[in-house]
């Protein structure tokens, strides 16, 4: 069973603003140390997070102390493009990232995210620019998947940005069931069909 996405996620967002972050950047080939979903977090953004001697690159935003508990990445356009490497999604989840916000995603990465419980949240460019400023100010974002909105505090005012997600994808994330679990829900129907 995959991890269920909670109806509300409250976190700061790591501003990783580059465009076209492909799956080989998310987890490079040399970091593909397992075929299981666990243990891949240490390879996440390995070429950016670590220096050649293996020490942490303290200049890379992912390594900053302020973002150690962040569960959201705020990214530029076309996040997760490139190969169909499902390990990229596994590495994000293994690092406690539950949502990536962008204007667009690689289509295979998007589907892999849904199937593994990671929310690929798409906003339009004008809303992206607003949220970019908030992420750079270390503002806490509240993602409400049911109501399809991102809420943030700006001064004394609460503001929100709306997004849209396919209804099936939303139910899939909130249900916490992978494709095998969903198939097993139809066990009696399958048995009846086989018997007939």
């Amino acid at each position: 069973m995959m991890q269920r996405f909670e109806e509300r996620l409250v976190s700061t967002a790591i501003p990783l603003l580059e465009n076209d972050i492909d799956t080989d950047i998310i987890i490079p080939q040399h970091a593909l140390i397992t075929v299981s979903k666990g243990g891949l977090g240490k390879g996440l953004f390995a070429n950016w997070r670590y220096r050649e001697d293996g020490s942490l690159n303290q200049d890379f935003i992912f390594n900053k102390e302020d973002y150690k508990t962040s569960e959201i990445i705020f990214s530029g356009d076309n996040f997760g493009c490139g190969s169909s490497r499902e390990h990229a999604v596994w590495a994000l989840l293994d690092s406690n990232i539950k949502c990536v916000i962008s204007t667009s995603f690689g289509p295979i990465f998007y589907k892999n995210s849904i199937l593994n419980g990671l929310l690929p949240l798409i906003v339009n460019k004008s809303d992206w620019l607003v949220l970019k400023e908030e992420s750079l100010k270390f503002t806490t974002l509240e993602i409400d998947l049911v109501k399809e909105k991102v809420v943030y505090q700006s001064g004394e005012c609460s503001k929100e940005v709306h997004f849209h997600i396919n209804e099936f994808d939303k139910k899939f994330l909130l249900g916490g069931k992978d494709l095998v679990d969903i198939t097993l829900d139809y066990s009696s129907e399958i048995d009846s069909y086989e018997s007939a």
Side-chain angles (χ1 to χ4, degrees):
M1 180 175 281
M2 73 177 196
Q3 183 174 331
R4 178 181 178 274
F5 190 91
E6 296 300 323
E7 293 182 14
R8 289 171 61 251
L9 171 63
V10 179
S11 173
T12 54
I14 303 167
L16 200 60
L17 304 176
E18 288 83 358
N19 294 327
D20 305 313
I21 296 178
D22 66 31
T23 52
D24 192 54
I25 293 171
I26 297 170
I27 185 159
Q29 186 173 3
H30 66 79
L32 301 178
I33 53 171
T34 178
V35 292
S36 71
K37 296 182 180 184
L40 289 167
K42 60 184 164 190
L44 183 65
F45 302 117
N47 291 340
W48 292 351
R49 282 175 69 193
Y50 305 104
R51 301 189 188 280
E52 286 185 15
D53 64 2
S55 64
L56 280 178
N57 173 9
Q58 297 298 343
D59 295 329
F60 180 48
I61 194 161
F62 210 88
N63 292 330
K64 304 280 186 190
E65 196 61 39
D66 286 346
Y67 296 105
K68 291 287 187 191
T69 59
S70 295
E71 297 175 297
I72 302 168
I73 290 177
F74 186 81
S75 183
D77 303 332
N78 201 26
F79 188 89
C81 55
S83 73
S84 59
R85 190 173 297 175
E86 192 172 15
H87 295 73
V89 175
W90 296 350
L92 288 162
L93 289 167
D94 197 48
S95 297
N96 207 35
I97 299 298
K98 297 186 170 111
C99 173
V100 179
I101 300 174
S102 178
T103 57
S104 58
F105 291 90
I108 297 173
F109 176 88
Y110 182 94
K111 201 55 170 172
N112 282 339
S113 296
I114 297 295
L115 294 177
N116 284 281
L118 176 77
L119 173 61
L121 195 159
I122 298 173
V123 292
N124 65 43
K125 194 65 178 181
S126 59
D127 287 338
W128 185 90
L129 289 168
V130 169
L131 291 175
K132 172 189 169 187
E133 294 308 311
E134 296 306 319
S135 70
L136 290 171
K137 290 191 284 190
F138 202 65
T139 302
T140 298
L141 305 179
E142 177 187 324
I143 296 171
D144 186 326
L145 180 54
V146 174
K147 295 181 179 174
E148 299 181 11
K149 63 183 181 178
V150 181
V151 182
Y152 61 95
Q153 201 69 23
S154 180
E156 295 183 6
C157 299
S158 181
K159 297 189 177 181
E160 53 190 55
V161 162
H162 291 266
F163 62 93
H164 174 72
I165 184 168
N166 174 288
E167 198 61 32
F168 176 82
D169 291 345
K170 183 200 290 191
K171 285 181 181 175
F172 198 89
L173 286 165
L174 293 172
K177 292 183 176 183
D178 62 23
L179 291 175
V180 174
D181 295 320
I182 290 172
T183 303
L184 290 174
D185 285 344
Y186 294 93
S187 292
S188 59
E189 289 91 336
I190 293 168
D191 291 342
S192 296
Y193 177 81
E194 288 178 341
S195 299

